[in-house]
Amino acid sequence: MVSAVITAAGLNRRMREDLLSKGMTIEHKLIMDLKGKPVIIRTIENVLESGVKNCVVVLGHYSEEINSVLKDFPDERVKIIYNHDLDCELSETLLNGVKNIEYGLCLCVAADQPTVTYNTMAKLIENAINYENPENIVSILARKETGFLESAEGLGMPFVCHSKLLLNYLPEHKDNLNPILREMISNDVVFYGTPAINELELVNINRYNDYLYIKNKF
C-alpha cells in the first residue's frame, strides 16, 4: 500500500516578491492557472494517477486561499490537514503529513511540482516496491546522476520511501529536506535516482518566470 503527502504550506515569498516588483496582483502560486486548472490541482491529479491509495495535502500559510480551490475536489482519497504552527520548516510540514497516512511506502511531492508526470511518480513507486528492502530505500527523481546514487546533494521531492524512515529522521530536524536526505545516505540508506522524462519535470514553480516557463511549455 502506498500513500502520498503533498506539501503546500510555504510562504509563497519569492512569487510575491516577483509579482510586487512587476506591479501585478498578488496571487498564490498554487492557485495560479495552468491550462484551465490551478497548479495544485494539476499536482494532485498526477499524484492520484500514479497509483497511490490515498493522499494527504498539508496546508499552512494562506490555507484559506489554497483551500478555496480544494474544498470541492471530487475525490475521497484526498485529505486536507493543517500545520499547527505556521512558521515551520519543510521537514515539519512533511512530518505532519506522514503522521496522517497509513504505515508503508509514501510518495512525497511538493505542491508546486505540477509537471512531474504520473508516469514518473509511478516509476518512483515501482523502484521502491521492487527493491529487496523497501524499508531502506529512497526512490527519488534524479537531478544529475541516475541509478544507485552515492550522494544526495541537490536532491529533494518528489521521492518515495517508507514512512518508517521518515518517522525516524524527520523528528530530529527542523530544516529543509536536503540535509536530512544527506544524513540518510551517510547512514547507508539506499538512494536510487530515476531520470526525468523531460526538462519540465525538474522545474518547481518558485518564481514568476518559472510559472511562465511551465505555462508556455505545458
Side-chain angles (χ1 to χ4, degrees), residues 4-7 54-58 77-81 96-98 100-101:
V5 173
I6 299 177
T7 58
N54 48 54
C55 173
V56 169
V57 181
V58 189
R77 290 177 293 166
V78 178
K79 177 183 179 182
I80 311 300
I81 66 170
N96 188 13
V98 173
N100 283 275
I101 62 170

Side-chain angles (χ1 to χ4, degrees), residues 3-7 56-58 81 83 91-102 106 167 170:
S3 302
V5 173
I6 299 177
T7 58
V56 169
V57 181
V58 189
I81 66 170
N83 283 335
S91 62
E92 297 170 278
T93 295
L94 185 56
L95 178 60
N96 188 13
V98 173
K99 287 179 176 178
N100 283 275
I101 62 170
E102 296 181 37
C106 176
L167 292 170
L170 291 176

Side-chain angles (χ1 to χ4, degrees), residues 79-91:
K79 177 183 179 182
I80 311 300
I81 66 170
Y82 303 86
N83 283 335
H84 298 299
D85 181 6
L86 292 182
D87 295 320
C88 63
E89 298 295 335
L90 179 56
S91 62

Side-chain angles (χ1 to χ4, degrees), residues 2 63-64 86 95 105 111 127 129 132 138 150 176 180 196:
V2 183
S63 59
E64 290 186 10
L86 292 182
L95 178 60
L105 288 174
N127 290 338
I129 289 174
E132 59 187 13
V138 176
E150 296 182 357
N176 211 326
I180 300 169

Side-chain angles (χ1 to χ4, degrees), residues 10-166:
L11 274 166
N12 195 45
R13 176 179 53 82
R14 284 172 285 188
M15 182 64 76
R16 286 177 58 87
E17 289 174 354
D18 288 354
L19 295 176
L20 279 171
S21 70
K22 297 176 184 296
M24 300 174 65
T25 302
I26 302 302
E27 188 175 13
H28 199 288
K29 64 181 180 180
L30 297 183
I31 65 172
M32 295 173 81
D33 179 77
L34 191 57
K35 297 297 174 69
K37 295 181 180 181
V39 166
I40 191 170
I41 297 298
R42 292 286 184 189
T43 302
I44 292 172
E45 288 179 341
N46 285 336
V47 167
L48 294 178
E49 284 292 322
S50 71
V52 301
K53 181 180 178 182
N54 48 54
C55 173
V56 169
V57 181
V58 189
L59 302 182
H61 290 282
Y62 306 101
S63 59
E64 290 186 10
E65 191 174 354
I66 300 170
N67 199 37
S68 68
V69 303
L70 297 180
K71 61 182 180 181
D72 297 321
F73 190 78
D75 198 308
E76 62 183 13
R77 290 177 293 166
V78 178
K79 177 183 179 182
I80 311 300
I81 66 170
Y82 303 86
N83 283 335
H84 298 299
D85 181 6
L86 292 182
D87 295 320
C88 63
E89 298 295 335
L90 179 56
S91 62
E92 297 170 278
T93 295
L94 185 56
L95 178 60
N96 188 13
V98 173
K99 287 179 176 178
N100 283 275
I101 62 170
E102 296 181 37
Y103 188 77
L105 288 174
C106 176
L107 168 64
C108 303
V109 182
D112 61 5
Q113 296 180 311
T115 55
V116 180
T117 64
Y118 64 83
N119 288 319
T120 291
M121 295 181 193
K123 189 65 177 176
L124 295 177
I125 293 170
E126 179 186 357
N127 290 338
I129 289 174
N130 290 336
Y131 185 64
E132 59 187 13
N133 181 8
E135 292 189 4
N136 193 54
I137 187 172
V138 176
S139 175
I140 197 162
L141 180 63
R143 296 282 166 173
K144 294 180 181 178
E145 302 297 324
T146 62
F148 290 104
L149 305 177
E150 296 182 357
S151 171
E153 194 66 39
L155 297 178
M157 293 189 280
F159 64 85
V160 175
C161 72
H162 202 281
S163 59
K164 177 181 178 180
L165 272 178
L166 296 170

Side-chain angles (χ1 to χ4, degrees), residues 169-205:
Y169 281 89
L170 291 176
E172 303 301 320
H173 298 270
K174 294 183 178 180
D175 208 337
N176 211 326
L177 287 182
N178 190 253
I180 300 169
L181 298 177
R182 293 201 305 266
E183 181 179 347
M184 285 183 177
I185 204 168
S186 70
N187 290 339
D188 296 324
V189 175
V190 174
F191 275 63
Y192 190 89
T194 295
I197 291 176
N198 55 52
E199 61 181 13
L200 280 183
E201 289 198 310
L202 301 177
V203 181
N204 291 36
I205 299 178

